[in-house]
């Protein structure tokens, strides 16, 4: 409704406080987390994964301390920029559940959000499997050391993984509060394990020296500072292995719906988690690189008794000779993944830390995935049925709206990947899915800033649009660095889902930055276009169609759309008359209603309603004010006033004056006539019903489509529908005893649309049925027929341009253009050749040119008699009246035809009658006729006579367009 969010002029609105309260969710009985428990703890647990304990030492061995710090810094740059971008989006208004999906969809629109939401949810589900498999591998390693394997390594990983994921599912289903408490316990264990390692670095036991641990030594630090890449490893391959350790920064944002204050919690918790985890990663990398040598044998026999001259390693300086490690060793940074356990003060605590890191990350992902599934399906896409297969998983239960079915779906996906039991197979794809989300979040901030939307004003100010763009590019680069084929696969999946959601066209409006940038681009291009002078090569018919309500004259709309689609502007003008206050209300409702109807009908057109005292004033307003800059109409299109003889002649005067006004404003004019008529409004729903339905919430988004013909493939939307229950009820009421609907020709088979939009439920009479059939004729393929062009006046070329544009369209491409011109009998061949040469220069294809030498022949007597009979009620007959009476009558009724006028324009009258005879003879089988419009001099020819000319010229013919340009050239010879 026009003022549903506020109030009209002068009326008071709700206070700001109430508006804020309206957006505040009811938190009674719902568990909400603060920034520490909800974001900081969750992010730290997700970032500190398996890599911290069993891969970081190996990375230091390969890359050295210096490059390891660089690897950590590079990963941190990507995550920090993404964290800043996440904070900016999260503080730009209220944040609901859905994490990355919600942030991206509300910024870039449902196309990107719908695509990335599903991918990110799936990535979190598979991440559960990755972390559980990492946990299971560690357990199996311990079982192997103690000789307690159940079957074999692979199957043991599957068994332990399956049991673990069932336990984690139970914790998650128990509720968010239980899951949060478990996270706290796991974090405490993790911190104790890290502390255990740090303490251990200061206690260099002699028993550990053969395994390469000597405590903090400058010699070891200097030796390990540089890289020593082995086994075809490179800087980027090491970076690819480490980067998954830096992911997990969206763990807090993923449960944004469960946070007490997401706007404050997400920035503080995410950025602090990145800072803390980065410092710990760098600290451990430097510590382990300063304490442990790259290679060690583990044997006490390698102690040096006498000084060796050819041994220069740090171990030699510390009285150990590990030179035999050139072949194979089992200890040291390069050879032992359990270095942190060996260095630690109490090794079992490190194992507990590994269990804590893997299980906490798995638990966080297990909770995140269903929440994102729920949000990406339920929040926005449910009503549009975009992902119908996932709707059942969006249902929430309990006071916290827990998506229990979503948990089950996540569990099944995770279990499927756990059974693969190969960590290296699933890790690259997951990392790429996460990076795709990060890239889009960064791009969202850049896009929103670039669009300069007034609605983009995040409370978090420490971001920069260009840094966000760099972050997005970095994410894309890192995707290829980690795994090029997984990156390509991710791009293909994102693109596929984007195209699918775009095709489905969800009817949602979130004020995305895509909309804002579209507006900005349109504005900038419109202004730029305004500074460019018109050129004949760039002329295009830009039509103002006097349609009234657009759905009341579908044939008029579709025919004009056929030659303006993707070529020129099309504006549907609608003049509202009557009391101003009522009309202004109608303007607001109609503008939204009919523009939506045009979009649903796939019409590339604008709807422009105005209020005026009469049609002429309204037409003048539209012709002067419609459009923007260079995108302004230059052609007025009207339907032929078929009922002019029964109408008030003052309305006919107004109709004719529209033509004169158009010529005065330098418009071309097109009059379209179908012998069946154009207006189907008397067959449409009652206005009262339309008005009442428009006020209902459901009717705002539902449009009913009625098929006017059994054969046509394209539906024409004619009215706004009631609710589905009313639709079904109306249809059932209308069915007769054998179950058939009486109005079957009007209703497409299998569609339950109400027939009460027609005033009668009985079958239509023949005339109305023909009118409905004719109203859809331009929506069908036109077949191999002719477009006949009767070019009788040089009006600048518009009469030729419109048929040419029609033949460029798919539905009209099989039609051939035939050109008819007037000429003299003794010059027919010369005139044909001259016209053929002209059309060739204009590069317009034609199938035939006919020169009519008998165009000025006197028409048949019976046709002259029929014309005189038609105009008889409109004649003044001043010869039979006294002079004063005749003058008075002419003054009061200026539309009347005088005897003098009839005699003066007899030649022109005969010409119109003769042209109709020729049209009947030559063009009765054409698909459409395009003909020069005869123009009467303003105030010289009465309205009744001019309408009689148009009637005589165009009666009993196929669809005809009477065209007259404004004498501005629209065709050119030159390139």
């Amino acid at each position: 409704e026009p003022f549903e969010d506020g109030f009209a002029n002068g009326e008071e609105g709700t206070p700001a406080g109430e508006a804020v309260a309206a957006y505040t969710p009811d938190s009674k009985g719902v568990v909400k987390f603060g920034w520490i428990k909800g974001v900081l703890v969750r992010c730290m647990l997700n970032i500190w994964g398996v890599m911290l304990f069993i891969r970081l030492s190996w990375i230091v061995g390969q890359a050295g301390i210096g490059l390891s710090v660089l690897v950590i810094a590079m990963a941190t740059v990507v995550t920090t920029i993404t964290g800043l971008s996440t904070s900016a989006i999260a503080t730009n208004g209220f944040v609901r559940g859905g994490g990355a999906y919600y942030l991206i969809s509300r910024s870039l629109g449902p196309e990107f959000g719908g695509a990335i939401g599903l991918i990110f949810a799936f990535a979190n589900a598979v991440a559960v499997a990755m972390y559980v498999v990492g946990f299971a591998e560690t357990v199996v390693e311990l079982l192997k050391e103690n000789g307690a394997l159940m079957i074999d390594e692979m199957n043991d990983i599957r068994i332990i993984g399956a049991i673990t994921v069932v336990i984690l599912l139970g914790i998650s289903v128990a509720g968010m509060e239980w899951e949060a408490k478990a996270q706290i316990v796991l974090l405490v264990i993790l911190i104790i394990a890290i502390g255990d390692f740090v303490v251990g670095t200061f206690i260099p036991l002699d028993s550990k020296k053969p395994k390469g641990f000597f405590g903090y030594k400058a010699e070891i630090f200097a030796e390990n500072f540089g890289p020593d890449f082995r086994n075809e490893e490179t800087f980027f391959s090491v970076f690819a292995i480490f980067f998954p350790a830096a992911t997990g920064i969206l763990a807090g944002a993923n449960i944004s719906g469960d946070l007490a204050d997401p706007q404050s919690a997400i920035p503080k918790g995410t950025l602090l988690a990145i800072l803390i985890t980065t410092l710990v990663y760098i600290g451990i990398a430097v510590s382990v690189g300063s304490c442990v040598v790259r290679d060690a044998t583990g044997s006490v026999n390698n102690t040096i008794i006498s000084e060796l001259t050819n041994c220069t390693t740090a171990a030699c300086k510390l009285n150990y000779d590990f030179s035999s490690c050139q072949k194979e060793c089992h200890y040291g940074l390069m050879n032992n993944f359990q270095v942190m356990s060996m260095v630690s003060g109490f090794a079992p605590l490190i194992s507990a830390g590994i269990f804590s890191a893997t299980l906490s990350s798995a638990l966080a992902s297990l909770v995140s995935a269903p929440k994102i599934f729920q949000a990406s399906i339920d929040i926005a896409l449910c009503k549009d049925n975009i992902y119908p297969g996932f709707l059942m998983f969006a249902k929430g239960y309990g006071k916290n709206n827990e998506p229990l079915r979503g948990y089950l779906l996540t569990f099944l996906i995770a279990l499927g990947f756990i059974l693969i039991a190969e960590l290296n197979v699933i890790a690259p794809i997951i990392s790429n899915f996460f990076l795709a989300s990060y890239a889009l979040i960064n791009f969202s901030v850049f896009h929103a800033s670039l669009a300069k939307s007034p609605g983009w004003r995040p409370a978090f100010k420490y971001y920069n649009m260009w840094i966000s763009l760099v972050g997005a590019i970095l994410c894309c680069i890192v995707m290829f660095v980690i795994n090029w084929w997984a990156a390509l696969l991710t791009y293909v999946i994102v693109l596929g889902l984007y195209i699918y959601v775009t095709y489905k066209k969800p009817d949602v409006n979130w004020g995305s930055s895509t909309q804002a940038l579209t507006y900005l681009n349109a504005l900038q291009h419109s202004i730029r276009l305004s500074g460019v002078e018109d050129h004949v090569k760039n002329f295009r018919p830009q039509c103002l169609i006097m349609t009234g309500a657009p759905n009341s004259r579908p044939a008029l709309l579709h025919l004009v759309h056929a030659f303006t689609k993707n070529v020129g502007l099309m504006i549907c003008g609608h003049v509202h008359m009557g009391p101003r206050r009522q009309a202004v209300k109608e303007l607001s409702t109609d503008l939204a209603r009919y523009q939506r109807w045009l979009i649903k009908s796939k019409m590339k057109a604008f709807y422009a309603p105005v209020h005026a005292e009469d049609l002429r004033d309204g037409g003048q307003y539209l012709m002067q004010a419609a459009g923007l800059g260079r995108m302004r109409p230059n052609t007025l299109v009207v339907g032929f006033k078929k009922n002019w003889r029964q109408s008030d002649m003052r309305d006919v005067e107004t109709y004719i004056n529209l033509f004169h006004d158009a010529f005065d404003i330098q418009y071309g004019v097109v009059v379209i006539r179908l012998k069946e008529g154009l207006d189907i409004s008397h067959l449409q729903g009652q206005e009262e019903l339309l008005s009442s339905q428009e006020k209902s919430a459901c009717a705002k988004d539902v449009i009913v489509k009625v098929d006017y013909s059994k054969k046509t493939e394209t539906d024409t939307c004619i009215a706004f529908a009631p609710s589905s229950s009313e639709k079904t009820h109306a249809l059932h009421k209308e069915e007769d005893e054998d179950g058939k609907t009486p109005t079957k020709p009007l209703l497409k088979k299998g569609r339950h649309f109400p027939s009460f939009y027609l005033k009668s439920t009985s079958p239509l009479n023949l005339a109305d049925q023909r009118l409905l059939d004719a109203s859809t004729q331009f929506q069908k393929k036109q077949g191999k027929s002719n477009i006949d062009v009767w070019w009788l006046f040089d009006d600048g070329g518009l009469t030729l341009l419109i048929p040419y544009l029609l033949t460029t369209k798919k539905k009209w491409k099989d039609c051939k253009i035939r050109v008819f011109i007037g000429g003299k009998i003794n010059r027919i061949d010369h005139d044909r050749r001259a016209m053929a040469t002209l059309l060739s220069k204009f590069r317009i294809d034609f199938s035939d040119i006919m020169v009519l030498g008998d165009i000025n022949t006197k028409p048949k007597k019976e046709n002259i008699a029929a014309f005189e009979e038609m105009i008889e009620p409109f004649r003044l007959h001043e010869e039979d009246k006294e002079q004063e009476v005749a003058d008075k009558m002419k003054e009061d009724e200026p539309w009347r035809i005088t005897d003098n006028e009839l005699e003066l324009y007899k030649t022109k009258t005969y010409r119109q009658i003769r042209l109709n005879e020729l049209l009947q003879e030559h063009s009765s089988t054409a698909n459409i006729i395009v003909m020069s419009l005869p123009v009467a001099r303003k105030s010289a020819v009465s309205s009744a006579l001019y309408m009689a000319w148009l009637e005589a010229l165009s009666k009993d013919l196929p669809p005809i367009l009477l065209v007259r340009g404004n004498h501005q050239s629209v065709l050119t010879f030159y390139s």
Side-chain angles (χ1 to χ4, degrees):
E1 293 303 306
F3 305 114
E4 65 182 354
D5 294 327
F7 292 85
N9 301 336
E11 298 181 30
E12 293 184 7
T14 56
E18 290 182 28
V20 172
Y23 280 100
T24 305
D26 181 15
S27 57
K28 186 176 181 181
V30 178
V31 177
K32 295 290 182 181
F33 304 115
W35 71 273
I36 294 177
K37 190 189 287 188
V39 182
L40 179 65
V41 169
R42 201 172 296 273
C43 285
M44 286 169 63
L45 283 170
N46 241 25
I47 295 169
W48 282 334
V50 179
M51 299 298 173
L52 176 65
F53 293 103
I54 61 177
R55 283 294 182 276
L56 188 57
S57 58
W58 175 84
I59 289 168
V60 173
Q62 290 280 354
I65 296 171
L67 290 184
S68 294
V69 171
L70 182 60
V71 164
I72 296 167
M74 284 175 60
T76 303
V77 166
V78 174
T79 54
T80 301
I81 293 173
T82 308
L84 293 172
S85 298
T86 304
S87 301
I89 300 175
T91 57
N92 190 51
F94 290 92
V95 180
R96 296 188 196 171
Y101 161 74
Y102 190 88
L103 298 178
I104 293 170
S105 65
R106 293 324 189 263
S107 296
L108 290 180
E111 294 85 4
F112 277 114
I116 212 65
L118 214 55
I119 283 177
F120 196 60
F122 181 76
N124 271 280
V126 181
V128 175
M130 185 179 76
Y131 295 128
V132 168
V133 167
F135 166 78
E137 279 186 359
T138 307
V139 174
V140 168
E141 199 65 38
L142 291 173
L143 292 175
K144 186 179 175 184
E145 286 177 11
N146 294 286
L149 284 177
M150 291 177 280
I151 304 172
D152 55 50
E153 286 187 36
M154 185 73 75
N155 286 312
D156 280 13
I157 288 173
R158 289 171 179 157
I159 294 167
I160 293 167
I163 295 169
T164 304
V165 80
V166 169
I167 294 170
L168 292 177
L169 177 68
I171 294 172
S172 300
V173 170
M176 289 293 290
E177 184 64 21
W178 279 96
E179 186 267 344
K181 287 175 181 175
Q183 295 278 25
I184 294 288
V185 172
L186 292 171
L187 179 64
V188 169
I189 295 171
L190 198 58
I191 292 171
I192 291 171
I194 293 170
D196 178 38
F197 164 77
V198 173
V199 170
T201 60
F202 292 100
I203 312 172
L205 301 174
D206 289 340
S207 61
K208 295 181 181 179
K209 287 182 180 180
K211 296 180 180 179
F213 172 51
F214 295 93
Y216 292 100
K217 300 293 180 181
E219 298 92 335
I220 298 176
F221 178 85
E223 184 178 83
N224 288 344
F225 191 82
D228 182 17
F229 294 113
R230 301 180 192 173
N231 300 325
E232 299 182 354
E233 297 291 350
T234 64
F235 175 79
F236 288 109
S237 68
V238 169
F239 176 78
I241 291 168
F242 174 78
F243 189 80
T247 59
I249 59 170
L250 293 181
N254 288 341
I255 61 157
S256 52
D258 295 300
L259 300 175
D261 184 8
Q263 284 187 296
S264 169
I266 291 174
K268 280 195 293 188
T270 304
L271 295 174
L272 189 58
I274 292 171
L275 177 64
I276 293 171
T277 53
T278 301
L279 291 175
V280 170
Y281 273 130
I282 292 174
I284 290 177
V286 173
S287 293
V288 80
S290 304
C291 296
V292 184
V293 296
R294 281 193 168 101
D295 299 291
T297 59
S299 171
V300 229
N301 298 326
N302 292 117
T303 308
I304 299 174
I305 302 169
S306 60
E307 189 174 339
L308 296 176
T309 54
N310 59 346
C311 185
T312 57
T313 62
C316 288
K317 294 174 184 177
L318 296 169
N319 300 321
Y320 275 84
D321 179 15
F322 296 138
S323 55
S324 60
C325 282
Q326 298 301 323
K327 295 178 182 178
E328 185 180 355
C329 281
H330 297 288
Y331 295 95
L333 296 176
M334 302 291 274
N335 311 303
N336 182 15
F337 290 146
Q338 301 295 329
V339 164
M340 287 187 68
S341 293
M342 183 262 292
V343 171
S344 66
F346 184 60
L349 277 178
I350 298 297
S351 297
I354 294 172
F355 296 162
S356 174
T358 51
L359 293 178
S360 63
S361 297
L363 196 55
S365 297
L366 187 58
V367 169
S368 297
K371 294 285 183 181
I372 302 165
F373 269 126
Q374 184 182 41
S376 59
I377 296 164
D378 195 34
I379 287 179
L381 306 181
C382 175
K383 70 173 182 179
D384 300 298
N385 207 18
I386 287 180
Y387 300 129
F390 291 109
L391 290 182
M392 61 178 290
F393 299 108
K395 184 174 174 61
Y397 295 88
K399 62 184 180 182
N400 277 10
N401 196 33
E402 294 289 344
L404 297 184
R405 294 178 182 178
Y407 283 122
L408 184 61
L409 175 65
T410 306
F411 167 76
L412 293 174
I413 293 171
L415 190 61
F417 278 86
I418 286 168
L419 295 179
I420 296 172
E422 280 288 340
L423 204 61
N424 293 340
V425 173
I426 54 179
I429 297 176
I430 294 171
S431 294
N432 276 283
F433 281 172
F434 280 128
L435 279 165
S437 305
Y438 297 172
L440 278 178
I441 288 174
N442 284 312
F443 184 72
S444 298
V445 171
F446 169 75
H447 200 270
S449 303
L450 187 67
K452 298 175 184 173
S453 170
W456 173 251
R457 43 182 192 278
F460 183 82
K461 302 297 181 186
Y462 304 103
Y463 74 95
N464 180 278
M465 61 182 286
W466 299 110
I467 291 177
S468 294
L469 179 62
V470 169
I473 295 169
L474 278 175
C475 287
C476 295
I477 293 170
V478 171
M479 287 173 73
F480 278 95
V481 167
I482 289 175
N483 191 307
W484 66 268
W485 61 263
L488 287 178
L489 179 66
T490 306
Y491 286 141
V492 168
I493 294 172
V494 171
L495 185 63
L497 289 172
Y498 177 86
I499 292 169
Y500 175 72
V501 178
T502 304
Y503 172 75
K504 295 291 284 187
K505 289 188 177 131
D507 188 14
V508 292
N509 182 10
W510 295 323
S512 67
S513 61
T514 306
Q515 294 171 341
L517 194 61
T518 302
Y519 171 83
L520 192 64
N521 288 336
L523 181 63
Q524 290 172 345
H525 284 98
S526 299
I527 293 170
R528 193 178 306 160
L529 196 62
S530 297
V532 179
E533 291 296 324
D534 288 329
H535 193 281
V536 61
K537 285 196 296 184
N538 291 326
F539 177 87
R540 54 196 69 218
Q542 307 204 110
C543 298
L544 170 63
I545 321 173
M546 303 301 287
T547 56
N551 59 2
S552 64
R553 293 171 178 82
L556 184 67
L557 206 63
H558 284 101
L559 180 55
V560 177
H561 190 250
F563 63 82
T564 59
K565 181 184 178 183
N566 298 329
V567 174
L569 182 69
M570 177 170 153
I571 296 178
C572 300
H574 188 178
V575 180
H576 287 258
M577 294 173 281
R580 183 180 179 281
R581 186 176 181 84
Q582 180 62 29
V584 168
K585 286 185 179 179
E586 288 177 2
L587 289 182
S588 301
T589 54
D590 283 0
L591 184 59
R593 179 203 306 179
Y594 289 124
Q595 189 61 59
R596 190 161 60 239
W597 183 88
L598 288 168
I599 292 168
K600 291 283 185 183
S601 303
K602 297 183 178 176
M603 290 284 163
K604 296 186 176 180
F606 298 96
Y607 173 70
V610 294
H611 173 255
E613 294 299 320
D614 59 33
L615 181 66
R616 185 179 183 185
D617 285 348
Q620 287 178 340
Y621 299 158
L622 286 167
M623 283 187 278
Q624 292 177 75
L628 182 70
R630 291 285 175 197
M631 295 187 296
R632 300 176 66 84
N634 54 28
T635 306
L636 177 71
V637 181
V638 296
F640 180 73
K641 195 172 181 64
K642 187 182 177 185
N643 64 341
W644 67 275
R645 281 178 283 177
Q646 292 80 40
S647 300
D648 186 334
M649 289 307 293
R650 284 173 294 187
D651 292 339
V652 177
E653 284 262 284
T654 299
Y655 178 76
I656 300 299
N657 283 328
L658 267 179
F659 299 180
H660 296 303
D661 293 338
F663 291 131
D664 289 343
I665 305 173
Q666 295 296 299
Y667 270 55
V669 174
V670 178
V671 181
I672 298 177
R673 180 174 189 182
L674 272 62
K675 60 186 174 186
E676 299 87 359
L678 291 166
D679 189 358
I680 64 167
S681 58
H682 63 287
L683 299 174
Q684 290 179 350
Q686 301 150 359
E687 289 301 319
E688 297 81 11
L689 180 59
L690 271 175
S691 301
S692 64
Q693 293 300 334
E694 189 65 17
K695 290 175 184 175
S696 70
C698 63
K700 289 172 67 178
D701 291 315
V702 183
I703 293 181
V704 66
K705 295 185 176 182
V706 176
D707 183 18
Y708 300 122
S709 168
K710 293 179 185 177
K711 296 179 182 177
T712 182
E713 294 179 359
T714 306
D715 296 335
T716 303
C717 305
I718 65 163
F720 288 80
S723 65
S724 56
S725 59
E726 289 175 65
K727 288 194 246 183
T728 310
H729 177 65
L731 186 70
H732 289 171
K733 280 177 65 179
E734 196 180 81
E735 291 179 349
D736 55 21
E737 291 178 359
D738 62 0
K740 293 182 180 178
T741 307
T743 51
K744 184 180 177 182
L746 301 179
L747 295 174
K748 203 160 193 175
K749 187 177 179 182
R751 296 209 181 175
H752 297 283
F753 294 136
S755 292
F756 52 71
Y757 284 108
L758 305 176
K759 287 189 176 180
S760 170
T761 56
S762 60
L764 297 177
N765 60 45
L766 188 60
D768 284 342
Q769 184 60 57
R770 284 177 176 169
L771 173 60
L772 284 171
D773 290 342
S775 70
T776 62
Q777 63 181 301
F778 299 122
Q779 300 173 50
K780 309 171 191 173
K781 192 169 178 63
Q782 297 301 304
K784 294 182 179 179
S785 187
N786 295 316
I787 299 175
D788 285 356
V789 181
W790 291 64
W791 195 20
L792 306 179
F793 311 100
D794 181 12
D795 59 353
L798 189 61
T799 312
L800 275 175
L801 182 61
I802 288 175
Y804 165 74
L805 291 174
L806 280 174
T807 58
T808 63
K809 305 304 178 184
K810 188 176 179 181
K811 290 176 183 174
W812 295 82
K813 67 177 181 179
D814 295 332
C815 294
K816 303 294 184 185
I817 294 177
R818 297 193 303 178
V819 180
F820 295 80
I821 58 172
K824 295 179 181 177
I825 293 176
N826 57 353
R827 287 171 51 97
I828 287 178
D829 287 340
H830 176 270
D831 290 344
R832 183 184 289 115
R833 283 196 299 272
M835 177 54 67
T837 303
L838 184 65
L839 291 175
S840 297
K841 287 182 177 179
F842 283 145
R843 305 171 301 285
I844 291 177
D845 292 331
F846 58 92
S847 63
D848 195 11
I849 295 174
M850 296 189 68
V851 182
L852 305 170
D854 54 351
I855 196 168
N856 292 317
T857 306
K858 188 176 179 180
K860 296 174 184 176
K861 289 183 180 178
E862 61 266 29
N863 290 334
I864 295 173
F867 180 83
E868 289 175 347
E869 183 183 346
M870 176 176 63
I871 64 171
E872 182 60 33
F874 307 103
R875 292 185 61 180
L876 182 61
H877 289 295
E878 68 268 27
E879 298 294 333
D880 301 336
K881 297 182 175 65
E882 293 182 5
Q883 186 66 35
E884 289 184 8
V885 174
D887 290 346
K888 174 68 174 167
M889 201 170 175
K890 182 64 177 172
E891 184 181 342
D892 293 341
E893 299 175 340
W895 44 266
R896 287 202 175 270
I897 306 169
T898 63
D899 297 338
N900 182 48
E901 178 188 12
L902 201 56
E903 185 63 31
L904 183 63
Y905 294 109
K906 180 187 286 187
T907 304
K908 200 158 188 175
T909 299
Y910 284 177
R911 183 180 176 88
Q912 313 312 320
I913 301 170
R914 177 59 185 156
L915 282 171
N916 183 261
E917 291 175 357
L918 292 170
L919 284 162
Q920 298 277 8
E921 180 183 344
H922 296 287
S923 296
S924 59
T925 59
N927 266 27
I928 196 165
I929 301 167
V930 182
M931 188 177 198
S932 299
L933 171 71
V935 177
R937 189 175 299 168
K938 195 174 182 178
S939 304
V941 179
S942 62
S943 299
L945 182 58
Y946 183 60
M947 285 302 296
W949 286 350
L950 297 183
E951 177 72 39
L953 175 65
S954 60
K955 69 177 181 179
D956 302 326
L957 291 171
I960 182 168
L961 276 72
L962 300 173
V963 180
R964 178 60 72 97
N966 60 3
H967 297 283
Q968 173 192 345
S969 294
V970 301
L971 296 171
T972 179
F973 298 156
Y974 306 107
S975 61

